[in-house]
């Protein structure tokens, strides 16, 4: 049986690697994205993976998109909540809009998508949900009260969802990536990035593929006894 997998933010960066890895393992992947049509088109023609545009921060859009996917392909078995943005500023400078946008997309987006997918997973007694948190949700970071709050929230969200899914065959886990070489980091100045890398015990940034392997494992049948956990993939940067 081919499992249906939805990867939010699945057309670029870490999400692209996750979509590819799940496809390689025989999943039918639908990759969501938020606005970059050109990148999504290029990704789809390169990989043959179906792409769908909607805003994960829009509750109704998530319900509608998942209903359409299920009508077309069948019930969603695997949900990877990967879409995320940053709007960095210290609290002195951060606007309410910057706070609100990050919470809405990075955290509420996970709720919106789980709300859309969980009922059918529960009915069929099988489901895998992986939420992408962050090392900065675990340890905090200057200039990221919005992002760290959202990502830290993901870890609590995941544990509660895991408790609700445990008796009905639905697992929920989080992955907390460290610094991974994607466009998301392109706004960080080189000198700051060098200092960050100095603090990573393995001495380098991670690659998207290194996160994708973790997601693939957590969404496989092999991970049936793993739920409510956070897998940190960060080169040893944060060990708590
Ligand atoms: P990128 O910026 O490279 O890609 C982000 C993806 O999310 C894109 O596909 C983008 O779509 C999509 N997206 C953004 N907003 C929305 C939205 N409102 N609705 C739907 N899709 C949206 O990010 P990364 O690959 O670096 O990050 C992926 C995840 O990993 C994020 O949750 C991030 O917080 C997390 N993470 C990343 C780290 C890193 O070092 N890179 C470290 C720790 C965590 P579009 O192409 O249309 O813009």
């Amino acid at each position: 049986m081919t499992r249906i997998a939805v990867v939010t933010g699945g057309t670029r960066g870490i999400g692209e690697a996750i979509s590819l890895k799940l496809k390689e393992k025989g999943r039918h992947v639908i990759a969501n994205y938020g606005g970059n049509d050109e990148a999504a088109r290029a990704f789809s023609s390169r990989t043959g993976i179906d792409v769908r545009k909607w805003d994960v921060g829009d509750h109704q859009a998530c319900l509608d998109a998942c209903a359409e996917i299920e009508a077309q392909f069948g019930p969603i078995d695997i949900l990877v909540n990967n879409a995320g943005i940053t709007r960095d500023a210290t609290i002195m400078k951060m606007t309410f809009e910057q706070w609100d946008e990050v919470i809405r997309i990075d955290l509420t987006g996970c709720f919106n998508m789980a709300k859309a997918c969980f009922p059918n997973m529960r009915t069929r007694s099988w489901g895998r949900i992986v939420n992408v948190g962050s090392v900065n949700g675990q340890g905090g970071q200057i200039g990221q009260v919005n992002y760290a709050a959202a990502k830290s929230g993901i870890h609590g969200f995941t544990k509660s969802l895991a408790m609700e899914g445990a008796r009905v065959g639905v697992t929920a886990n989080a992955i907390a990536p460290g610094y991974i070489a994607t466009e998301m980091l392109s706004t960080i100045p080189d000198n700051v990035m060098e200092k960050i890398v100095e603090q990573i015990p393995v001495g380098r940034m991670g690659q998207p593929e290194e996160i994708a392997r973790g997601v693939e494992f957590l969404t496989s049948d092999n991970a049936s006894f793993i739920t409510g956990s956070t897998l940190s993939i960060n080169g040893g940067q944060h060990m708590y």
Side-chain angles (χ1 to χ4, degrees), residues 11-174:
T11 55
R12 288 197 293 118
I14 293 171
E16 171 173 6
I18 294 169
S19 297
L20 283 170
K21 180 59 72 186
L22 295 183
K23 183 183 180 206
E24 184 190 310
K25 294 289 173 180
R27 313 307 191 195
H28 180 119
V29 178
I30 294 101
N32 147 271
Y33 70 103
N36 191 333
D37 297 313
E38 202 182 318
R41 259 195 306 273
F43 164 82
S44 188
S45 61
R46 207 166 51 242
T47 62
I49 291 173
D50 224 330
V51 295
R52 299 289 167 99
K53 179 178 171 176
W54 75 87
D55 175 5
V56 296
D58 178 336
H59 187 71
Q60 193 58 46
C62 291
L63 297 180
D64 292 346
C66 291
E68 268 174 39
I69 289 167
E70 298 204 329
Q72 193 174 349
F73 302 111
I76 296 165
D77 302 292
I78 296 168
L79 166 64
V80 184
N81 276 318
N82 164 78
I85 59 163
T86 53
R87 296 289 181 266
D88 294 353
T90 59
I91 189 128
M92 293 294 287
K93 294 186 180 155
M94 188 176 288
T95 62
F96 175 76
E97 287 70 27
Q98 287 173 309
W99 165 268
D100 197 43
E101 196 181 3
V102 169
I103 299 293
R104 184 178 68 79
I105 293 173
D106 294 19
L107 181 58
T108 308
C110 293
F111 169 77
N112 292 340
M113 288 301 296
K115 184 83 184 153
C117 298
F118 190 85
N120 262 339
M121 292 179 175
R122 187 179 191 281
T123 304
R124 287 173 303 108
S125 304
W126 201 95
R128 295 280 185 272
I129 299 175
V130 174
N131 303 309
V132 179
S134 169
V135 66
N136 291 347
Q138 297 170 304
Q141 184 57 273
I142 290 170
Q144 290 197 323
V145 293
N146 51 0
Y147 184 78
K151 292 299 186 178
S152 171
I154 281 179
H155 298 300
F157 170 77
T158 301
K159 290 176 197 172
S160 301
L161 191 58
M163 287 178 188
E164 294 184 19
R167 293 291 168 97
V168 292
V170 181
T171 70
N173 291 288

